[in-house]
Amino acid sequence: MSEVRVRIAPSPSGNLHVGTARTALFNYLFAKKNNGKFVLRIEDTDAERTSQEYVDNIFDSLKALGLNWDEGPDVGGNYGPYTQSERFDIYPKYIQELLDKGFAYECFCTPEELEAEKEEATANKKAYVYSKKCENLTDEEKAKLRAEGRKPAIRFNVAKAQKAFHESSILKFDDLVKGELQMDTNLIGDFVIMKSNGAPTYNYAVVIDDALMKITHVIRGEDHISNTYKQILIFEALGFEVPRFGHLGMILAPDRSKLSKRHGATAVSDFVEQGYLTEALVNFVALLGWAPSDGEEVKPVDAIAADFRIGEISSSNSIFEYDKLRWMNSHYIKMLPMDTLKEMLKPYLTRYDLTELSDEQFTKMVEITREPLTLLSDITEAVPYFFGQDVEIDPEVQTEVLDLEESQKVLNDFVEKAQTWEWTEENLHNKLEEFRGTWKEQGIKPKATMWAIRAAVSGRTRGADMVGLLEVLGKERTIHRAQKSCKVAK
Ligand code: GLU
């Protein structure tokens, strides 16, 4: 069997969407599983809708997800993507071949004429199919139209190709995901394969590229099924081997509508900016339509690749559960080695002066605040009290904790005792224990004792481990803040 070759072929009309990321991932997994090759092709034939910014975003996002492609033009020692706009000299040759073989013809219809045809179909409640008005123009007629200044588009002759390669008008193919699919090609109008300005259309360029790049399996979203029939006919008309096709179900939002920005992030780069780890995103996206054989959902991409079977992809739509992604993300954050996590958190700590902390203090701060992080960005709001001499006290914490008489007693005592404490982890642990004990004897619950101290030094009633917190704050700052919360100055 020939080498498995798959591709992801995004159009750069937006940032890389997670749906495209999933398609890319499934192609990548299929290639890995079969020792094949994964190719990136930028489909930018529609110049008006594309931009370099999006090309860069697609490039960077795929790389960030670890979905590296296996070949491409050389750019500074790395593989660049294949880009359709750089291949424009390739496409006319095959247009000529289709014209010569009678599988394509020139169409001189103006946009107004085509619009009128469409309106008529709508008025008659019929699905619009091009009238084939230009199919049999004579050379004289064409010359006359050209002399009027009209430039022809090229249309593919669907019925002719269908007749040449199939017994009836029904075109069937065996989809890798959905099983046998079929369509009556009489319902496909003769579609444009090259615009009058010479630009190839998607359905045409994709076939030429897939054929020349020797793509063996085309795995993509099910919104492309109707294109597949057109593409199969072009492959056949040019005598190219037809690849296998596999169409993935769509990704829907939790409310079952199309996933869009109003549901949350949709672009990979937005997820990353919000503090999702690309490993979590890849793992989560793999589960949209595929399930691991051992039921163990948290899996690195290599393990997923080893287990991946395309025939087991669900043919139905998948729901994008943001809650599940958040859960998975928190799991991946927990698994990060400390040094990696520290580096990854830094972009979310730019509002603080990190030079206030020694590396040891920074490590400690992360150690005691990482547990509840769901997103890397959660760190921003989790740590303000580790910075600055003073701390901002939440008004509710002031009235409900610090203003209480018992809290005041505890704090006054704390300020006095803490002066004598040696500020090491072990000692702080023991001293706090002891301190709680003495107040317990006086009828104050250990929880209330700790609350008061925490409220004074962090301005909050909840948060990082107390010993660690005091350690990072240091003796001087801890006592300073506790003292500030004492109503009667000590
Ligand atoms: N360029 C197409 C898109 O972004 C994909 C084409 C394909 O996979 O065949 O939807």
Side-chain angles (χ1 to χ4, degrees):
M1 202 185 128
S2 59
E3 179 185 56
V4 164
R5 291 177 58 83
V6 295
R7 82 313 192 262
I8 183 70
S11 302
S13 55
N15 290 336
L16 188 80
H17 191 275
V18 318
T20 313
R22 183 198 46 171
T23 307
L25 175 63
F26 283 7
N27 276 285
Y28 174 89
L29 294 171
F30 187 68
K32 285 277 157 292
K33 175 81 189 229
N34 294 289
N35 293 320
K37 291 272 187 313
F38 172 58
V39 170
L40 167 63
R41 184 171 72 227
I42 299 291
E43 301 210 319
D44 58 350
T45 48
D46 189 349
E48 275 164 34
R49 296 182 56 223
T50 66
S51 87
Q52 187 56 39
E53 183 195 331
Y54 296 140
V55 174
D56 294 343
N57 180 278
I58 290 168
F59 208 81
D60 294 344
S61 300
L62 287 171
K63 282 197 172 284
L65 293 169
L67 303 179
N68 296 313
W69 46 101
D70 297 310
E71 60 177 52
D74 186 346
V75 279
N78 291 316
Y79 291 134
Y82 293 112
T83 303
Q84 282 185 331
S85 60
E86 288 166 10
R87 297 165 59 81
F88 269 24
D89 53 335
I90 295 175
Y91 304 116
K93 174 177 157 204
Y94 298 95
I95 290 283
Q96 194 53 50
E97 187 176 333
L98 289 171
L99 287 168
D100 293 346
K101 287 180 171 170
F103 289 128
Y105 58 86
E106 291 175 316
C107 170
F108 291 85
C109 291
T110 61
E112 295 73 28
E113 283 170 323
L114 295 172
E115 199 43 49
E117 280 192 0
K118 279 183 199 156
E119 274 169 23
E120 198 185 319
T122 314
N124 295 330
K125 296 198 165 60
K126 280 194 180 149
Y128 171 66
V129 176
Y130 173 61
S131 65
K132 284 175 165 283
K133 203 155 89 185
C134 295
E135 184 185 6
N136 296 312
L137 292 179
T138 61
D139 286 347
E140 290 77 45
E141 286 168 323
K142 286 187 202 168
K144 201 171 150 244
L145 288 160
R146 266 187 233 279
E148 283 172 20
R150 292 206 198 184
K151 276 200 173 136
I154 310 295
R155 282 184 190 269
F156 187 75
N157 195 326
V158 174
K160 221 158 174 190
Q162 176 71 20
K163 232 184 218 133
F165 303 102
H166 303 273
E167 280 164 11
S168 74
S169 66
I170 304 298
L171 180 55
K172 293 182 186 169
F173 71 96
D174 189 16
D175 192 275
L176 292 161
V177 177
K178 294 185 180 282
E180 188 174 278
L181 296 175
Q182 62 176 50
M183 182 174 189
D184 185 344
T185 50
N186 285 331
L187 302 174
I188 307 174
D190 289 351
F191 54 95
V192 172
I193 51 178
M194 187 165 270
K195 296 184 201 164
S196 55
N197 65 4
T201 61
Y202 158 68
N203 273 311
Y204 169 71
V206 81
V207 169
I208 304 306
D209 284 343
D210 282 341
L212 299 184
M213 293 175 190
K214 299 198 166 19
I215 299 302
T216 55
H217 297 77
V218 173
I219 303 164
R220 58 187 173 194
E222 67 179 21
D223 48 333
H224 283 292
I225 290 178
S226 60
N227 290 325
T228 300
Y229 300 101
K230 297 177 181 172
Q231 293 170 16
I232 289 175
L233 290 176
I234 303 178
F235 275 108
E236 291 174 333
L238 287 168
F240 290 135
E241 198 174 323
V242 182
R244 293 291 311 272
F245 291 91
H247 290 95
L248 310 171
M250 304 309 281
I251 299 177
L252 302 179
D255 65 5
R256 299 197 177 248
S257 64
K258 190 169 175 257
L259 190 67
S260 77
K261 284 204 179 120
R262 73 191 160 87
H263 300 107
T266 54
V268 168
S269 46
D270 289 341
F271 282 103
V272 171
E273 204 179 302
Q274 286 179 15
Y276 287 92
L277 301 183
T278 48
E279 292 82 357
L281 200 54
V282 164
N283 191 158
F284 171 79
V285 156
L287 302 175
L288 297 172
W290 173 82
S293 54
D294 60 2
E296 184 55 62
E297 292 198 311
V298 180
K299 268 196 169 56
V301 73
D302 290 347
I304 293 175
D307 194 23
F308 187 73
R309 293 157 311 274
I310 192 148
E312 290 174 18
I313 290 178
S314 155
S315 62
S316 43
N317 295 332
S318 311
I319 307 292
F320 197 97
E321 304 281 5
Y322 284 90
D323 286 346
K324 183 169 174 181
L325 173 58
R326 276 192 281 271
W327 165 79
M328 190 156 279
N329 203 57
S330 69
H331 191 88
Y332 272 85
I333 291 179
K334 286 188 180 64
M335 295 196 300
L336 281 180
M338 190 52 164
D339 284 344
T340 315
L341 178 61
K342 275 161 62 185
E343 283 315 305
M344 295 189 93
L345 290 175
K346 282 183 183 164
Y348 302 97
L349 294 170
T350 50
R351 74 163 74 151
Y352 306 112
D353 181 5
L354 286 183
T355 60
E356 283 182 29
L357 304 179
S358 66
D359 187 51
E360 209 180 317
Q361 285 173 310
F362 181 43
T363 306
K364 187 91 217 167
M365 178 186 88
V366 173
E367 217 170 81
I368 59 181
T369 49
R370 70 182 293 178
E371 167 66 25
L373 298 181
T374 300
L375 302 177
L376 293 172
S377 53
D378 290 343
I379 196 71
T380 317
E381 293 305 324
V383 298
Y385 52 87
F386 289 97
F387 299 89
Q389 181 69 356
D390 295 312
V391 69
E392 202 180 311
I393 309 271
D394 182 327
E396 216 171 288
V397 173
Q398 182 67 43
T399 52
E400 299 194 357
V401 183
L402 294 174
D403 289 350
L404 300 183
E405 203 186 318
E406 57 181 38
S407 297
Q408 285 297 317
K409 284 190 202 159
V410 166
L411 283 174
N412 277 287
D413 189 31
F414 176 74
V415 168
E416 202 173 303
K417 294 210 167 105
Q419 320 260 11
T420 65
W421 294 352
E422 193 200 339
W423 223 254
T424 61
E425 183 178 350
E426 200 190 335
N427 195 49
L428 281 171
H429 180 82
N430 296 337
K431 290 293 178 192
L432 283 173
E433 191 80 9
E434 210 175 279
F435 187 76
R436 263 195 293 247
T438 22
W439 281 100
K440 193 172 168 209
E441 280 165 23
Q442 299 186 47
I444 297 184
K445 288 196 196 97
K447 216 170 128 188
T449 313
M450 288 301 113
W451 255 20
I453 302 173
R454 182 185 294 283
V457 302
S458 76
R460 303 179 177 195
T461 52
R462 235 181 268 244
D465 163 71
M466 266 300 267
V467 173
L469 167 59
L470 298 193
E471 247 189 295
V472 177
L473 288 179
K475 185 168 179 172
E476 187 272 324
R477 217 167 12 152
T478 302
I479 296 175
H480 166 79
R481 288 184 183 180
Q483 204 154 27
K484 267 196 110 174
S485 278
C486 292
K487 293 206 166 156
V488 182
K490 285 232 37 133

